[in-house]
Amino acid sequence: MSKLTAVAYQECINPNCRAQFDCAQSIFKCPKCGELLDIKYNWDKIAVPKKLSDFAARWSSRNKPLDYSGVWRFREMINFCDDKYKVTIGEGQTVLQQNCGLAEQLGMKPDCLFLQYEGLNPSGSFKDNGMTAAFSHAKMVGAKSSACASTGNTSASVALYAAMCGLKCVVFIGSGRIAFGKLSQAMDYGAHTIQIQGDFDDCMKQVQDVCTELGLYLLNSLNPFRLEGQKTIMYRIIEQMGWEIPDWIIVPGGNLGNSSAFGKAFAELKELGLIKKVPRMAIINAAGANTLTDMVNNKKLTWNGGNVNQAVIDAYYADLTARKYSPHTCASAIEISRPVNLKKCLRALEVTNGIVRAVDDAKICDAKALVGKYGFGCEPASAASVAGLELLLAEGVIGKNERVACVLTGHTLKDPNVTVNYHKEKQGKWSNPPVECPNDLAKIIELIK
Ligand code: F0G
């Protein structure tokens, strides 16, 4: 079948290349020019619902696994493989929580703040949205072994899906750079866990070479099929808002897979006439891992119709190498200085009229404690979105009457160390340390009164 006439195909994002490949290939970077690949659809060959609310019909057939999945019930929008290959473990049963208490605390109109809690996924993070799609592709191409580099959540999710699909699994993590909750998952799910003496960026480089050398199936967000699954986080947000579009989506930025996927989701919905307006997106880095913020706000890097100024990126990374720079933040999930999806993210910023900010660790920890106080809680990287919201409210960029959805990417129990230290060491204004007390009834009562 000619690629252009297939329902779905892969296409290089470089406007001077635009090479196309069959979805049956597992390549992850354009073999011609080395750029990132997109999954593209010939929409006229797909029975896309006339209106988004038509998807809601699937809620009534939740006994069928693909209708139950919060990813595959939007399957017309991620139509790259036959149902027989689709792998689902009930991912995407997540909640958009309208959080009046936190909104008021932040000085917003109470009904304006929404928290999309992706910690409710089977492995406890948003990654499962992507893995269900990527592992379906892995099955479609007959992969036997899988691999990823990770700051923790990707490894947990890959290990879980690999175990469910019967694939072998190798995960690369930076030694000492991963939260214990996540490491414990990779080991429990049976992954071959390799701790590299380096950071995430070192692992990311190694895993690509290992995958090429040994023919392993790569599950990092370089994998365009993974990003297709992550688009559904946006569908679920607008679904829960009655198919209305918020004014803002705020998301933490690490390897920039989510932000890239979200931009693609809205560009496609707009192209299909399923939405009238695209929300603005704010991407929040940790100050200790702020490559995107620096490149966009200071170096003025833009998508520029796909002709991204590569010289700026090369010079930036050469400087990081020369300084032996390694990123550092307590939000270990986003401790990344060479984000692989940088260019797709620049495109998403253009689609969404987006902005980028960085917040420091103290602000991240305070925001995390507030989310815990008013919501389901979240891990540190996730709280960057709320810390970013605070900053943007203070700057006057986001108005207190605007409707904002913050994506809480990972479960609160992923990284208990950061939480316990924050409270015990009285690090911030919401610290709530435990109190020591003798084993004595009168003294206990005295303390509580
Ligand atoms: N939040 C959490 C909890 C994450 O685990 C990650 C990324 C991000 C945000 C950033 O998302 O990469 O799409 O910009 N974690 C990856 C991992 C890198 O290996 O688990 P992104």
Side-chain angles (χ1 to χ4, degrees):
M1 193 179 354
S2 142
K3 286 129 203 169
L4 273 170
T5 59
V7 170
Y9 54 95
Q10 309 189 62
E11 187 180 273
C12 175
I13 67 163
N14 175 358
N16 307 312
C17 176
R18 290 264 188 264
Q20 295 177 342
F21 307 93
D22 203 285
C23 283
Q25 280 182 271
S26 106
I27 38 186
F28 310 129
K29 270 189 177 176
C30 177
K32 298 212 165 114
C33 74
E35 265 308 339
L36 298 169
L37 297 169
D38 261 338
I39 306 306
K40 302 281 265 188
Y41 301 99
N42 280 315
W43 293 112
D44 53 353
K45 294 190 183 344
I46 301 172
V48 177
K50 295 275 170 296
K51 48 188 194 315
L52 283 171
S53 55
D54 290 352
F55 282 115
R58 296 212 166 114
W59 283 93
S60 63
S61 45
R62 288 164 72 78
N63 56 317
K64 296 187 186 138
L66 293 184
D67 289 353
Y68 181 74
S69 166
V71 172
W72 294 113
R73 67 192 166 80
F74 298 102
R75 52 190 171 271
E76 286 77 8
M77 306 303 296
I78 43 177
N79 204 330
F80 62 79
C81 78
D82 201 88
D83 282 0
K84 70 177 181 231
Y85 300 117
K86 287 176 185 155
V87 181
T88 175
I89 56 170
E91 58 288 321
Q93 304 303 317
T94 61
V95 168
L96 183 76
Q97 184 190 41
Q98 186 170 34
N99 199 314
C100 305
L102 183 56
E104 277 182 296
Q105 175 68 46
L106 299 178
M108 295 173 77
K109 203 163 150 261
D111 59 1
C112 279
L113 178 59
F114 299 82
L115 303 179
Q116 175 67 14
Y117 188 45
E118 288 298 311
L120 290 173
N121 274 293
S123 81
S125 85
F126 76 87
K127 304 286 179 183
D128 298 351
N129 293 286
M131 296 313 165
T132 186
F135 272 92
S136 299
H137 181 251
K139 274 182 63 185
M140 174 176 150
V141 300
K144 299 277 178 284
S145 305
S146 58
C148 69
S150 184
T151 56
N153 283 321
T154 298
S155 59
S157 185
V158 167
L160 176 54
Y161 277 85
M164 300 307 282
C165 301
L167 264 72
K168 284 196 191 134
C169 172
V170 192
V171 306
F172 294 82
I173 53 183
S175 208
R177 303 277 192 147
I178 176 174
F180 261 42
K182 306 173 189 182
L183 180 60
S184 64
Q185 287 179 287
M187 296 188 297
D188 235 12
Y189 301 143
H192 188 175
T193 306
I194 301 183
Q195 293 192 283
I196 305 262
Q197 286 156 2
D199 58 24
F200 172 82
D201 300 299
D202 298 318
C203 293
M204 192 65 231
K205 185 172 179 318
Q206 295 293 358
V207 76
Q208 291 182 62
D209 293 345
V210 170
C211 284
T212 311
E213 190 92 355
L214 300 179
L216 308 180
Y217 186 91
L218 178 67
L219 284 139
N220 282 97
S221 48
L222 271 180
N223 180 328
F225 297 96
R226 217 190 94 179
L227 297 192
E228 290 306 288
Q230 288 172 220
K231 293 188 307 192
T232 63
I233 301 170
M234 294 301 105
Y235 308 153
R236 296 199 299 272
I237 288 182
I238 59 177
E239 175 183 50
Q240 195 65 30
M241 294 181 82
W243 305 109
E244 284 179 13
I245 306 294
D247 297 300
W248 288 90
I249 298 285
I250 310 188
V251 61
N255 225 2
L256 306 179
N258 260 342
S259 44
S260 300
F262 299 172
K264 187 170 188 281
F266 287 117
E268 289 171 348
L269 291 179
K270 189 84 197 308
E271 182 195 333
L272 289 166
L274 290 168
I275 56 171
K276 292 204 177 63
K277 137 183 160 179
V278 168
R280 295 191 70 186
M281 180 159 58
I283 305 173
I284 312 299
N285 277 156
N290 67 346
T291 298
L292 180 73
T293 314
D294 218 4
M295 292 239 208
V296 170
N297 294 350
N298 303 328
K299 312 276 182 227
K300 308 294 175 202
L301 197 67
T302 61
W303 171 242
N304 190 29
N307 293 303
V308 178
N309 191 339
Q310 186 65 44
V312 169
I313 302 174
D314 290 345
Y316 195 89
Y317 290 164
D319 177 60
L320 293 186
T321 307
R323 289 193 282 128
K324 294 195 171 52
Y325 177 82
S326 185
H328 282 286
T329 165
C330 71
S332 56
I334 51 174
E335 195 180 62
I336 296 172
S337 63
R338 289 173 170 79
V340 296
N341 289 298
L342 176 63
K343 288 188 182 170
K344 282 187 178 174
C345 173
L346 294 172
R347 181 176 65 182
L349 285 169
E350 190 174 284
V351 168
T352 60
N353 186 18
I355 54 173
V356 182
R357 293 289 185 275
V359 288
D360 66 29
D361 282 6
K363 291 274 184 342
I364 289 176
C365 288
D366 281 341
K368 196 187 93 62
L370 272 183
V371 175
K373 202 167 148 71
Y374 291 104
F376 291 124
C378 63
E379 68 164 280
S382 314
S385 60
V386 174
L389 169 61
E390 263 191 291
L391 175 65
L392 291 164
L393 285 165
E395 286 179 359
V397 173
I398 295 184
K400 54 180 193 288
N401 297 325
E402 290 192 279
R403 306 219 303 166
V404 179
C406 290
V407 183
L408 300 182
T409 44
H411 199 280
T412 188
L413 296 177
K414 288 275 188 176
D415 192 350
N417 289 18
V418 168
T419 311
V420 171
N421 289 343
Y422 175 86
H423 290 294
K424 267 195 147 169
E425 312 293 330
K426 298 194 191 141
Q427 286 175 8
K429 60 178 172 191
W430 309 107
S431 290
N432 176 28
V435 186
E436 285 291 331
C437 182
N439 186 14
D440 177 304
L441 181 62
K443 295 221 165 75
I444 292 171
I445 288 174
E446 186 57 32
L447 254 180
I448 296 172
K449 268 205 294 195

